[in-house]
Amino acid sequence: MTDQPDPRLARLDGFRVEIDADRARADIVLARPPMNTISMPQRDQLRHAFEALDEDGRVRVIVLRADGEHFSSGGYIRGFLEASPEHVSKLAWNIAAPARCSKPVIAANRGYTFGVGFEISLACDFRIVSETCQYALPEQKLGQIPGSGGSARLQKIVGITRTKDIVMRSRRISARQALDWGIATDCVPDDRLEAAVDALVDELRAFAPLAQRTAKRLLNETEDALLTTAIELEGHCYSRLRQSDDFREGVEAFHEKRKPNFTGS
């Protein structure tokens, strides 16, 4: 692992950042076990970490994971009463940082993945879960609703009926059910979680960086678009990528039956 000179990655509250430049991988690791509760200041810092890693040329893929047997039991409850209204109004923007990041982001979830822990995982591109994972948005038990995009993102994935079932009943969803409902990308035995994430990192970093960034942005920005609009935007993106060095390299490598050497240009 290498040290990070970026000041945004110094004095982190409740998490750490690790960069493996040889594998073009960065890990944001929740590090307040056993429950990995997420404080109010930590939410700002998580956003800063994603922004810093998005600008880091050594990094192709970002992994969000946690120490211990639980990803996160959610936020520090008393912090909601102590935070200013202005700070609270920024919660969803901070937790949406993985979605805004141009690089692929993988959430590795095991054990309790509740509240803001679930919400930030929903903002990631891939959710690999161990069989011990439980998802929940328990805010109703506190007389509240999810405030960091959880119900909105979940409704896009599973529809209004299932979202009401999860949100209005503070219902826990098992790993297998999350996979069946399309919340999780894959579900693996607990002792295989790290290996599954490693394999996905290696798979993703083998693709052309520019094409991958384009695909993520296109899919995110056309989620609410009309089909005709989405198809038109897809065509524009496709046309632009045809001019890239990586596309030419991909075509030549295909015909020469060799592995492509993508450079991100």
Side-chain angles (χ1 to χ4, degrees), residues 20-36:
D20 185 345
D22 291 336
R23 297 188 63 213
R25 167 178 174 166
D27 286 48
I28 296 176
V29 187
L30 304 184
R32 191 180 280 122
M35 294 300 177
N36 291 312

Side-chain angles (χ1 to χ4, degrees), residues 218 221-237:
L218 174 67
E221 293 189 354
T222 59
E223 185 178 13
D224 297 323
L226 293 171
L227 177 61
T228 51
T229 302
I231 291 173
E232 182 176 1
L233 289 173
E234 182 183 85
H236 287 306
C237 291

Side-chain angles (χ1 to χ4, degrees), residues 202-241:
D202 288 340
E203 178 184 342
L204 291 171
R205 68 190 184 95
F207 294 113
L210 183 59
Q212 203 158 67
R213 292 195 299 269
T214 301
K216 175 172 179 173
R217 183 171 183 179
L218 174 67
L219 291 169
N220 283 347
E221 293 189 354
T222 59
E223 185 178 13
D224 297 323
L226 293 171
L227 177 61
T228 51
T229 302
I231 291 173
E232 182 176 1
L233 289 173
E234 182 183 85
H236 287 306
C237 291
Y238 180 86
S239 178
R240 289 180 60 193
L241 286 173

Side-chain angles (χ1 to χ4, degrees), residues 17 20 31 68 78 91 115 117 121-122 129 177 202-203 212 216 232 240 265:
V17 174
D20 185 345
R78 189 169 293 279
L91 295 183
S121 298
L122 287 170
V129 302
Q177 192 163 42
D202 288 340
E203 178 184 342
Q212 203 158 67
K216 175 172 179 173
E232 182 176 1
R240 289 180 60 193
S265 61

